[in-house]
Amino acid sequence: MKKELIEKTYKLAKDQYAELGIDTDQVLSVLSEITISLHCWQTDDVGGFEKEGAELGGGGIQATGNYPGKAKSIGQMRDDLDKAMSLIPGKKRLNLHAIYGEFGGEFIDRDKIELKHFQGWIDWAKERDTGLDFNCTCFSHPLADDGFTLSSKNEKIRTFWVEHVKRCRAIGAEMGKQLGTPTVHNLWIPDGSKDIPVDRYGIRKLLKKSLDEIFSVKYPKKYLRDSVESKLFGIGSEAMVVGSHDFYMGYTLTNDLMITLDNGHFHPTESVGDKISSLLLFYDEILLHMTRGVRWDSDHVTTLNDEIILIAQEIVRAKALGRVNIGLDYFDASLNRVGAYALGTRAVQQAFLFALLEPHASLVTMEEEGKTFQRLAILELMKSKPFGAVWDYYCLKNNVPAGGDYIAEIEKYEKDVLLKR
Ligand code: RNT
Ligand code: ZN
């Protein structure tokens, strides 16, 4: 897109929003402070680098497709992340999973991982002046194969996973310390049952016991923030997921932890956007996994859809941008993976831009005055305002491709790099 055209259209857009009392320059300065945590696992379909050719296995999450160009080493993964980040405006962090350590060709089991396996990533983040988030990996492992990890009745299995998560939190705290920005550690476990269990209480009691052991180790909040992620069901855990939303709400509220809302983890008619205002009344901070659920899959690439927009609007409307950690969570092996990063992250940023461009105060007044038709009419009107012009200008200001210009960049990267792997 031509610079002059972007600037000209932005000026007109700015005037249109000004008519509604919105200062677009101010909005863009708020937008530029919103950090998105990019999930590292879109580069290689959640395979990780514990061993060569590792693949996502078990745990009820699946990546389908075999689009060429998947990252096969940490070096390739870093190339892809740099490329993706160069196409995304604004602030970014990287969200790592424990299977992405640098194990130097040696097999290090999960209960043996150490800081040294992640020092390279910390240095990588330092060089880029960014932060890291972290996740224990309680799936794709033989000791996760029978469907239970932290809630396993097999004490050997349960303590193995407790040790893994403890080590991950210790590594996360060190990441936060070295980088000067707290690392958010997220815990998701695949535990659940395909068919009707009869000892739900006993099983959940074991998860509680494991969490008590894990979180008995305390770290300063300036280094590490802990969150736990629920799910409604997964493949193989249709009848019961041990770490349900109720379970984790109870646990986190009584233990001063964060809760993760993955919007692919609820019933399709439930709205994560609606949950935000409730949770913010009880939590200082929460974590989001932004994604796109499609039928049984909870991990399609994010697009600018109603669900994502409502989540962004509810955060902005609650003036809670500083209390919500925004992470992404999707993995699709059927399209250009680097393109998927750029597209999905940009879509989430666009949702926040759309939310920030809302004449919120006047909408609240209409609501209070019972002007429900007018409220709906203004919400509709905002959909046809020149929001794209503001987005393009934001990209221009941040030296990243505006409009669809990033598509050609992805095509070039595919030809020059991905297809040569
Ligand atoms: C799985 C959870 C979890 C994972 C990542 C890879 O259903 O959403 O967040 O997607 O940890
Ligand atoms: Zn998730």
Side-chain angles (χ1 to χ4, degrees), residues 41 46 61 97 139 188 229 231 262 265 289 299 329 331:
W41 50 94
V46 212
I61 50 176
H97 238 289
F139 51 85
W188 174 77
E229 179 182 6
K231 193 166 183 168
D262 180 314
H265 287 191
H289 269 189
D299 304 292
D329 183 10
F331 35 96

Side-chain angles (χ1 to χ4, degrees), residues 83 406-418:
K83 184 69 207 176
Y406 75 101
I407 302 170
E409 294 255 357
I410 291 293
E411 286 172 346
K412 186 170 184 311
Y413 188 69
E414 176 166 308
K415 192 165 148 274
D416 295 348
V417 181
L418 300 178

